[in-house]
Amino acid sequence: MKRRVLTLFLALSAVGLCSAQTYLNPNAPIEERVKDALSRMTVHEKIQILHATGKFTSLGVPRLGIKELHHSDGPHGVRAEVDWNTWGTANWNNDSIVAFPSLTCLAATWNRDISAKYGKAIGEEFAFRDKHLLLGPGTTIARVPLNGRSFEYMGEDPYLAGEMVVPYIENVQKLGVACCLKHFFLNNQEAFRNSVNVNVSERAVNEIYLPAFKKAVQKAHVWTLMGSYNKWLNTYCCQNDSLLNGIVKRGWGFDGAIVSDWGGATDYWQAATGGLDLEMGTFTNGKTEDHSMGWNTYCLADPFERLINEGKVPMSTLDDKASRVLRLIFRTAMNPKRANGFLCNEEHYNTCREIGEEGIVLLKNDKSILPIDASKYNHILVVGDNATRDLSEGGGSSELKAKITISPLAALKKVFGDKIDYAQGYYTGKPLYAYQEKLDPEKQEQLKAEAIEKAKHADLIIYIGGLNKNGFQDCEGADRKEYQLSFGQPELIEALAQVQKNIVVVTNGGNPFETSWLKSVPAFVHCWYLGSMGGEVIANVLTGKVNPSGKLPVTWGARLEDYSYYQYGKEGYPGVDNQVYYKEGIYVGYRHFDTHKVKPAFPFGFGLSYTTFAYGKATATTLADGKVKITCTVKNTGNREGKETVQLYVGKKNSSIDRPVKELKDFAKVSLGSGESTQVSFIVNAEDLKYFDENIHDWKLESGKYIGFIGTSETDIRSKIEFEM
């Protein structure tokens, strides 16, 4: 009898039903919990946690009490619930949320503190909705201004994107919600995204396309990365050994999990050996009658288990993947410090409003037509589809079900009352994914005529248009077809301006566009996508309740032909025979415009204010540790309070290698009252000045003299200072 009891005890211990269970101890170090849990799991249980069991769910280990993971799209809010096994909306009545501004808007704030507030607020909403993975944010570099998904990213500069993404990630993950940084990497176009292979120099990879991701891994310690659909080195990024194992895990020391984009895993062997840890959305809707294409058919499911059992892939590979997913579970679903969260509270709406107010960019303001003085106007005509449209709808995975959406028209009526009239001016159809609704040209002309007729009776026009979340606009799955605004907007703006010279153009969108109509209008304001409080934010800026302080995170080219990739034809974009060539190398965005003397419509870092700022002479001091301190005084010389983003660019004097004239190395946003001044200082070290040398496959410092450029934009340099490193 005793022998039977002992045998039973040993058997139960082997499957983890007896003995101390460290993995369930919330106070034990995570690495001990991971090691203990792994030791108790069968091979099949290790396999099961590596792939989806629903559209946005991956399994835990029920036998051991290890919880499953709930994923949800971001990065601007928690997506509405979808059916378990389809993309259909579940039609819940308790999943409405705060729609936060787009990440391009966040980048346009140039404010790290605002990014931290964004992360805290959105993280609390994900926590309350019981989501463990926030599928975002994104730091893909804006290479092509037609990219349908640029609104989800943080602009064209790797330094700006890296600095802005770190506080977001840190403040989400403090709450026990994981960020899944995307799309890793080179997902710079939606056109042919599922098949295109990106050919790019080693230097451009390291100087332009990797740094923001690297900073998120090494500084923010992001818990998951999402692989992109495209190929690099002729291998899909979701299963790319050189990228995921070589660069991220071994090179950067990443201890988190690599998650596939939905359907991004395509090959059993490469998924098993190429660094992928958690596979989502492959092959199937997960619900077929005979289960021949169920969740068990995923690359990291039965096929991977066979490779392990047959000894074709070592057990250490499985254990590494399972450990990374367990680590993720203990950081999120089984984190004892995980926040309860809040949904749609006042603080979140205030944060939404604050991000928008600091991200809106004032691009033109002739004759100080802005802010609007209500006493000057008796009849204000608002024109444009975006004045009433909910811009949180559409766009693909970033579509949101906002509990509250304040339209610009409603907000302006609240301010100006009966002085406001409205004309739609144009229409755009439904926000359909990856295709466009056919529009009636006669209806379009009728709406235009109605707007022009009403404009004859107005003494001020506020035009609210731009891009939207329709297919072939700012939408996942396809890029824009043209650089100019669609739906006849350029002609409509010109026609309205001929009738009434007092016209303010307000646009939405995640990308630049052609503005040949700009000479006909005295004021131009760009708003990105502003989320739930968008209308109120626009009204606050137009009326002067808020002084605009946003700066462009992208260079706004006058023509599509002015962008660097364009000169290489279809090879440069969208590619030929599923191969795209980044022949411009490191000359992306302002690096190209500045170095090759191409005049943009609006430069990187540009943004006007209702006040003015004066800059003193910059000074440079070499510190004891060899670093250089650059200091400049900034004064508000206008008659109202305002915020200014002081930007530091650095260039090499008499460089022996090909490099841009200057590159962004730091920035600081300061708030100053009228007549107030402050001193802004930046620290430059050797790491900031290195370039990637392809001959030695490593970073290298070119010694000698450098020039520090202090400015209010990339082209508006107020002071220069030489220093030696």
Side-chain angles (χ1 to χ4, degrees), residues 399-411:
E399 182 175 32
L400 296 173
K401 182 180 176 182
K403 185 174 183 179
I404 296 173
T405 300
I406 300 175
S407 74
L409 181 62

Side-chain angles (χ1 to χ4, degrees), residues 563-723:
Y563 289 89
S564 55
Y565 75 89
Y566 191 89
Q567 61 187 305
Y568 303 109
K570 290 184 178 180
E571 285 192 343
Y573 170 84
V576 176
D577 297 329
N578 286 322
Q579 299 287 333
V580 64
Y581 299 87
Y582 290 15
K583 294 183 179 180
E584 72 280 2
I586 61 173
Y587 291 101
V588 178
Y590 72 85
R591 288 167 170 80
H592 159 70
F593 282 83
D594 189 17
T595 305
H596 298 114
K597 296 180 172 55
V598 181
K599 186 178 180 181
F602 303 103
F604 176 82
F606 178 80
L608 301 173
S609 170
Y610 295 152
T611 189
T612 55
F613 298 93
Y615 285 63
K617 186 177 180 180
T619 61
T621 305
T622 301
L623 305 178
D625 57 4
K627 297 177 182 178
V628 174
K629 182 178 180 180
I630 297 177
T631 302
C632 182
T633 299
V634 181
K635 182 178 182 179
N636 182 343
T637 55
N639 58 10
R640 62 171 295 166
E641 182 181 0
K643 294 180 180 180
E644 171 70 335
T645 299
V646 184
Q647 302 162 38
L648 171 67
Y649 300 84
V650 176
K652 178 68 177 69
K653 189 173 183 180
N654 301 319
S655 177
S656 62
I657 56 136
D658 181 32
R659 61 196 306 171
V661 172
K662 56 182 179 292
E663 298 176 279
L664 182 69
K665 295 301 178 184
D666 209 343
F667 60 89
K669 193 163 191 177
V670 296
S671 180
L672 298 171
S674 176
E676 188 179 359
S677 63
T678 191
Q679 195 174 72
V680 177
S681 295
F682 303 107
I683 302 296
V684 180
N685 60 47
E687 291 299 315
D688 298 326
L689 305 180
K690 289 181 177 179
Y691 70 95
F692 193 86
D693 188 337
E694 294 182 341
N695 295 315
I696 62 172
H697 309 291
D698 202 353
W699 294 90
K700 185 176 181 179
L701 176 67
E702 186 181 14
S703 61
K705 291 185 177 180
Y706 287 80
I707 304 174
F709 301 84
I710 298 281
T712 184
S713 79
E714 189 271 327
T715 60
D716 188 359
I717 301 303
R718 303 297 181 87
S719 185
K720 301 179 185 179
I721 186 70
E722 284 191 13
F723 63 92

Side-chain angles (χ1 to χ4, degrees), residues 426 444 448 463 482 484-493:
Y426 68 98
Q444 207 72 282
K448 178 181 177 181
Y463 180 89
E482 56 192 0
Q484 68 177 18
L485 292 174
S486 301
F487 315 113
Q489 291 183 78
E491 295 80 9
L492 175 58
I493 294 171

Side-chain angles (χ1 to χ4, degrees), residues 48-54 56-60 67-71 133 278-280 325 329:
Q48 282 192 308
I49 67 173
L50 305 183
H51 61 83
T53 53
F56 287 98
T57 304
S58 56
L59 196 65
K67 294 182 179 180
E68 66 185 16
L69 289 170
H70 302 155
H71 313 231
L133 268 76
L278 183 51
E279 180 185 5
M280 304 297 294
V325 176
I329 292 171

Side-chain angles (χ1 to χ4, degrees), residues 465-483:
L467 305 175
N468 60 28
K469 301 288 189 66
N470 285 16
F472 299 98
Q473 292 280 298
D474 281 331
C475 183
E476 179 187 2
D479 292 338
R480 289 162 57 203
K481 294 180 177 180
E482 56 192 0
Y483 190 52

